[in-house]
Each structure stands twice: as structure tokens, then as C-alpha cells.
Amino acid sequence: MNIVWWHWLTLGLILIGLELIIPSFTIIWFGLGAVIVSIVLASLPSCPLSVQILIWTVASALLTFAWFRFFNTRLDRTKAGSSKGAVIGETGLVIRGAQQYDKGTVKFHLPLMGADEWPCVADDPLAVGDRVRVVDVEGHVMKVEKIAKGDK
Amino acid sequence: MEPAAVVFAILFLVVVVTIFMGVRLVPQGFEFVVQRLGKYHSTLKPGLNFIIPYVDIVAYRLTTKDIPLEIGAQEAITKDNAVIVANAIAFIKIVDPVKAVYGISNYEYAIQNLVMTSLRAIIGEMELDLALSSRDIIKARLKDIISDDVTDWGILVKSVEIQDIKPSESMQKAMEQQATAERLKRAMILEAEGKKEAMIREAEGKLEAAKKEAEAQMMLAEASAKAIEDIAVAVGDKELPALFLLGDRYVNAIQKLSTSPNTKNFVLPADILGAVKGIAGRSV
């Protein structure tokens, strides 16, 4: 069987189409690789099969690598449903102060994870009325840090 | 097929497998725990991730959405020794996937049992009536007790809702029996009170009647006395007419006696005058 350029193009389009059905973000690079091979084959019809497969392999690997290296910009994503993402960075008000190694209580504007009041710990002593920011969640305790006055 | 093509085809397969192993697409709401050569390495966040093929493996896939956990119905004994049945639903959330997979072997089972035992402990400190009527208190206490235990497991118990809390079947039966017995007691007391009152009334009636009777007798006696007195006054010294009247009545009475149907023999007194005198109580 003699493989010509449009065979590669068809294979490439099928693989790109498969990406829609199986969203794994890997098949598309092999599809694009096949499209590149079809372009090479159209301009160089005498290219042997082994070289064609090699081009496909290298092109696919390069495209995958390039995506992760250069184009995979981490866009701002929603943090809904993530483990701590929705809570870290929230600011609240200390309503019960605490010394170090003691638990205080912090109150939030809106309920966070099912409650608007949480026990909290901090590295520095907390006084009633301090504004704090959540830095970590440890079980049922919020780890917070004080926000300096004027700091937003 | 030329030998070079076979080698390149195999190379292609290796590249495909490698890329497949390296690219990890984590859906929103999940987090993957990655181990590098058997040790924890990192946690993959939602989105497209790249791990080093062959060295890194995704060891655990965890959901970070809230997980509803059914806490099956169980019997608990209250402070006053009543058996009640309670079941609940807990909403938990994994806040630290690493602790959740390495801190405990089966967090769902652990939390289910933790809630169960805590629920029993809380109900054990309450009286039956309080336990049946204060879900909110139970909820708050439950959350309180559990929170310390779950810290090591990277899990947050968002809320525990008591679905059903009711006395056990035998307890319900006993409560019903108690209610029935109380009603029966009341009915019996009411009946007895009715009888008592009836008897008192009856006795009172009798007493009243006796009083009236006595009064009547007294009045009769008084009237007789008065009549005798009157007769005595009327008779005065004129004894004969009175004696005649008395004798006449006496004779009449004897006459009636003689005609009475049950009379067999009759003896007439010979000395009528003497008899009459005896009746009048005087000597003529």
C-alpha cells in the first residue's frame, strides 16, 4: 500500500476529532503531528515510511513539550470545589482573642464552609477586633495571620 | 516493510505511552496525590498537569467536593435509661488531601463510626425529653466533639444533621401503655367519686327523712297530748257522759270483733262497766 499525503491528513483530523470525545489533551498533539507529516509528504512525495513515522513522533513530542513549556499559561480559575482554595485569603474579624498556642474565634462576613465563626490559631497573639487573613485550614481550625493596619 | 520503519514505529509507541503517562487532566472538584518513587511528591490541582512519566504515579484521586455520609440508624440509651433510635447525615469535605490519604486508611468509614459513637455519647448525657426536643444542641455538641479527632485526617466536618430521632419500638409501646394506664386510672377515679357522691346523697336523704319523721311523731304526740288535755278539760267532773261514750265505743268494738271472719271463739267480759272503768283508769 502506498501512503500518500491525504492519508496522514485524514489520520490527523480523526485524532483531533477524537480529542473532543476523549478529553485527555494528548491525542490532539498526535493529530497535529500527523497534519505536519501530511504537509511534509505533500511537498516531498518520495519521503520513506520510516522517516514519516519519525517526523510524526518527533513533531508530536515537540508539540506536547512546547505546550507545557510555553503556552500553558495558568489562567485565573475558579476555586470552587477545591480543597482549601476557596478559603485561603479570606479576611475575617477576631471576636475572641487568644494567646499563642490558644484558640481564638474568627468571624467572617459570609459563612465559609458552612459556618461563619471558626476557631483560629495564629503565630502572634490575637486581640478582639483584629483583622486577620486565612493562611491555612487545619482540620476544624483556621490558621490566620494578622493584617497590619493600612494593609489591604 | 523496511526494518527502519519497524524501529521507528516502536519508538512512536513508546513516545505515545510516555506522553499519555505524563499528561494528567484533573477535573474541577478533584485533586490527585502524586507519589514519586513511592513517596509523596505533590498534589495535582484541577486543570492540565504534567508529571514525570515512569517516576511519578498518581496514587490517589480524591474528590474535594462535599461528601454526604449516611450515618445509619442506631440505638442510644439516654441518661434516664430510655432507648431511642437516631440516624444522621454528615457533610464532610477534604481540606487536606495528603492527610486524608496518609493519615487514615478509610476516612469515610472512620468518620461514620466517629459520628455514631459521639452521637451515642451525647444522647447518653441527656434526659429522654431533652434528647427528643433539642436537635440543635446535639448538632453543636457533635461538631465540637468530632473536630479534634478529624484534624489529623485533613477532613472538615461541615455539618451533622440529625434526620430522625425517636424512641425505640419497645419504648414507644411502653409510652403508649403508660398513657393508656393513666387514662384508665382517671376513669376509675372518676367512677369511684361518682359512686361515693351518690351514696352520700342517699344517706343525706335518709337522714333528712328520719328527721322529718321524728318531727312528725313529735308533732303527733304533742297533738295527742293536746287532744287528751282538751278531753280532760271537757270531761271535767261530768264523768258519766264520758263513760257512756267510752262504753258505747267499747261495745261497738266488741261487736266488730265478733263479726270479724277469723274469730272462732269470743268471750264477752261480764263486767263491762268494770272493763270500761279499767280503760278509763278511774274508779267509778
Side-chain angles (χ1 to χ4, degrees):
Chain A
M1 190 180 104
N2 201 16
I3 292 171
V4 290
W5 65 272
W6 63 266
H7 289 147
W8 282 106
L9 186 62
T10 312
L11 177 68
L13 291 177
I14 288 170
L15 288 176
I16 291 169
L18 268 180
E19 177 64 43
L20 295 174
I21 303 163
I22 316 159
S24 68
F25 223 69
T26 40
I27 304 170
I28 189 168
W29 308 119
F30 294 97
L32 286 174
V35 173
I36 290 171
V37 176
S38 84
I39 294 166
V40 172
L41 201 61
S43 48
L44 285 167
S46 61
C47 188
L49 182 62
S50 56
V51 176
Q52 289 170 32
I53 294 173
L54 185 66
I55 292 171
W56 188 24
T57 310
V58 172
S60 307
L62 276 179
L63 280 169
T64 312
F65 178 74
W67 166 264
F68 280 98
R69 187 74 185 78
F70 303 111
F71 305 116
N72 183 16
T73 50
R74 297 244 152 173
L75 298 169
D76 196 17
R77 300 160 302 162
T78 172
K79 295 201 166 127
S82 60
S83 55
K84 292 174 188 169
V87 179
I88 288 171
E90 289 288 329
T91 57
L93 195 70
V94 175
I95 57 168
R96 195 163 61 86
Q99 293 301 308
Q100 276 161 308
Y101 299 109
D102 202 10
K103 283 180 200 159
T105 305
V106 59
K107 190 175 171 68
F108 296 99
H109 268 302
L110 294 171
L112 278 188
M113 295 199 286
D116 54 2
E117 279 178 25
W118 286 94
C120 64
V121 288
D123 291 335
D124 311 307
L126 295 170
V128 174
D130 280 347
R131 290 189 60 76
V132 289
R133 180 182 287 121
V134 179
V135 289
D136 201 1
V137 185
E138 292 180 0
H140 270 261
V141 179
M142 299 272 172
K143 181 114 192 260
V144 296
E145 63 174 20
K146 236 191 276 194
I147 306 174
K149 278 211 177 92
D151 188 10
K152 240 323 172 189
Chain B
M1 203 187 270
E2 49 188 309
V6 176
V7 171
F8 286 135
I10 290 167
L11 175 72
F12 173 74
L13 270 179
V14 170
V15 170
V16 169
V17 170
T18 306
I19 289 177
F20 261 100
M21 285 177 73
V23 178
R24 281 286 175 273
L25 202 64
V26 181
Q28 187 85 44
F30 287 85
E31 280 181 17
F32 291 179
V33 173
V34 175
Q35 284 179 348
R36 174 163 294 173
L37 300 172
K39 260 178 80 176
Y40 169 74
H41 177 249
S42 63
T43 306
L44 301 184
K45 301 280 175 194
L48 198 60
N49 291 275
F50 191 78
I51 57 174
I52 299 173
Y54 312 110
V55 178
D56 292 348
I57 58 155
V58 171
Y60 300 97
R61 292 153 200 261
L62 293 173
T63 176
T64 50
K65 303 173 197 171
D66 291 356
I67 306 166
L69 268 188
E70 193 78 42
I71 314 292
Q74 52 168 337
E75 292 198 340
I77 298 171
T78 59
K79 201 176 176 183
D80 45 352
N81 283 325
V83 182
I84 59 176
V85 178
N87 66 341
I89 186 163
F91 294 94
I92 62 166
K93 183 183 172 72
I94 296 172
V95 284
D96 198 331
V98 181
K99 280 183 180 170
V101 295
Y102 296 114
I104 180 122
S105 66
N106 185 343
Y107 59 84
E108 291 200 358
Y109 176 75
I111 290 192
Q112 263 170 336
N113 281 283
L114 193 61
V115 172
M116 269 193 192
T117 48
S118 307
L119 195 60
R120 270 208 288 270
I122 293 165
I123 290 171
E125 289 169 6
M126 292 173 133
E127 305 266 324
L128 173 67
D129 292 341
L130 189 68
L132 290 178
S133 61
S134 49
R135 288 168 186 232
D136 286 346
I137 299 174
I138 296 177
K139 238 174 81 179
R141 292 265 297 120
L142 202 55
K143 219 172 147 180
D144 230 37
I145 291 180
I146 295 170
S147 13
D148 284 348
D149 297 304
V150 297
T151 308
D152 277 348
W153 305 339
I155 286 169
L156 190 94
V157 177
K158 286 182 81 165
S159 68
V160 179
E161 302 289 336
I162 311 285
Q163 284 181 312
D164 246 349
I165 181 162
K166 61 181 181 205
S168 73
E169 226 162 87
S170 55
M171 193 66 210
Q172 260 175 359
K173 222 165 139 189
M175 280 163 98
E176 262 167 41
Q177 269 177 1
Q178 190 189 347
T180 315
E182 252 162 40
R183 291 224 166 76
L184 211 63
K185 178 185 156 194
R186 219 153 53 209
M188 280 164 86
I189 289 174
L190 275 175
E191 205 184 321
E193 267 174 9
K195 273 186 187 161
K196 179 184 158 194
E197 202 166 323
M199 280 166 86
I200 290 173
R201 290 270 167 95
E202 208 177 330
E204 272 174 2
K206 274 186 185 163
L207 181 64
E208 198 84 351
K211 272 184 189 166
K212 295 259 158 135
E213 183 84 8
E215 221 171 296
Q217 273 178 11
M218 267 161 74
M219 277 172 89
L220 203 63
E222 270 169 30
S224 300
K226 182 88 173 33
I228 289 165
E229 210 179 277
D230 284 357
I231 289 170
V233 171
V235 169
D237 299 336
K238 302 176 286 279
E239 221 168 51
L240 208 60
L243 213 57
F244 169 73
L245 276 173
L246 206 58
D248 185 44
R249 283 200 186 172
Y250 184 73
V251 170
N252 278 346
I254 287 172
Q255 201 177 354
K256 270 183 195 162
L257 267 178
S258 66
T259 54
S260 157
N262 56 354
T263 309
K264 297 287 184 275
N265 302 303
F266 197 79
V267 182
L268 270 176
D271 184 11
I272 288 179
L273 201 63
V276 171
K277 270 184 186 164
I279 291 167
R282 296 176 185 222
S283 51
V284 179

